[in-house]
Amino acid sequence: MNEQDVVHDKKSVETRARIFSSTIDLINDIGTEKLTIRKIAEAAGVSPALIIQYFGSKAELLQQAFEQRNEELKQSIQKMKNEEIKTPIQLLVRFAETQMDRDLVHPALTLTVLANSFSWDIDSQERVDNRLKGFRLAQREVLEAKFPKLSEHYLKFVPLTFFFVYGQALRRMLQTHMTSAEGIEFLMPHFKILADAMEADMAR
């Protein structure tokens, strides 16, 4: 890669970051329904055509704006291997707290992405699993480190079940403007059932 290509790539990354920042600022100001490609372009100081070139559509731009913290989120999950976590319920709560650090910061964006995202009722388990693969694998690493007696079945089952429960609860949290603490309280009965199943599996 020559120097010109490096400069171009750096400029592209900076432009995308500016578009993401402008998108989130506008969502906070006017919401997603009134948000348009033209308004985002004006706020970011770029042309609407460039945004279409980069993202293809408003829906894809919102999806990528939402997911820009995914790598940071996966790293936060992996760091739990070094945390003082002794019980399954503690770990499930930490998983949820980490997700909420992203999902509750910009609730309008999260709700929009959830509405345009997969449906647990319609989509196949394979498609859901592929969409969550990075997080699922990060959670599996932590599960293996913290609970080495957990069976292979539960190493696969726990991350998928967590995201099913969390995803359903997240809509409720956002719609009713729950705080993170209230969200954890809402999730606890579901986590207790899953944690008890994990304990039973390890006791076999």
Side-chain angles (χ1 to χ4, degrees):
M1 182 180 291
N2 60 40
E3 185 176 344
Q4 188 175 357
D5 289 335
V6 171
V7 172
H8 179 270
D9 286 349
K10 182 179 179 182
K11 185 177 180 182
S12 176
V13 170
E14 291 173 349
T15 301
R16 286 173 181 268
R18 193 165 69 250
I19 291 170
F20 286 145
S21 178
S22 297
T23 299
I24 291 172
D25 287 345
L26 283 169
I27 288 171
N28 290 337
D29 290 341
I30 64 175
T32 56
E33 290 184 5
K34 295 180 180 179
L35 187 68
T36 64
I37 293 291
R38 184 170 297 280
K39 288 179 180 178
I40 296 169
E42 289 175 358
V46 300
S47 69
L50 183 64
I51 293 180
I52 295 299
Q53 178 185 330
Y54 278 171
F55 304 101
S57 67
K58 171 183 161 182
E60 181 60 26
L61 168 56
L62 293 177
Q63 183 75 37
Q64 290 192 33
F66 177 74
E67 292 179 349
Q68 64 176 322
R69 286 188 61 200
N70 277 4
E71 190 58 38
E72 178 185 335
L73 191 56
K74 283 184 280 187
Q75 291 174 4
S76 295
I77 293 170
Q78 291 168 332
K79 287 178 181 176
M80 292 178 198
K81 289 184 288 187
N82 301 318
E83 292 183 16
E84 192 70 20
I85 297 171
K86 296 184 178 180
T87 66
I89 195 74
Q90 287 177 330
L91 183 56
L92 293 172
V93 168
R94 285 294 293 120
F95 283 160
E97 289 172 341
T98 303
Q99 290 291 142
M100 288 179 192
D101 284 345
R102 178 194 65 176
D103 297 339
L104 300 185
V105 172
H106 303 292
L109 175 61
T110 303
L111 269 175
T112 300
V113 170
L114 286 174
N116 294 329
S117 191
F118 59 80
S119 166
W120 286 92
D121 298 327
I122 298 172
D123 293 347
S124 67
Q125 179 174 322
E126 182 179 1
R127 182 181 173 195
V128 172
D129 187 51
N130 286 339
R131 184 178 285 272
L132 300 173
K133 186 175 182 179
F135 299 117
R136 177 178 60 79
L137 293 177
Q139 287 192 351
R140 181 189 173 110
E141 285 182 26
V142 180
L143 287 165
E144 288 177 319
K146 292 299 181 184
F147 306 112
K149 292 184 179 180
L150 205 60
S151 69
E152 176 65 23
H153 172 74
Y154 270 82
L155 288 173
K156 294 179 180 179
F157 173 75
V158 171
L160 278 175
T161 303
F162 169 84
F163 280 109
F164 173 75
V165 171
Y166 177 79
Q168 297 296 317
L170 181 58
R171 286 183 170 87
R172 176 76 176 272
M173 291 180 223
L174 294 167
Q175 289 165 349
T176 58
H177 309 290
M178 288 186 192
T179 64
S180 295
E182 290 169 337
I184 293 296
E185 185 178 356
F186 180 75
L187 283 162
M188 281 302 284
H190 307 284
F191 284 171
K192 180 72 166 54
I193 293 171
L194 182 55
D196 286 348
M198 291 169 66
E199 294 278 12
D201 178 73
M202 290 186 287
R204 290 173 186 169

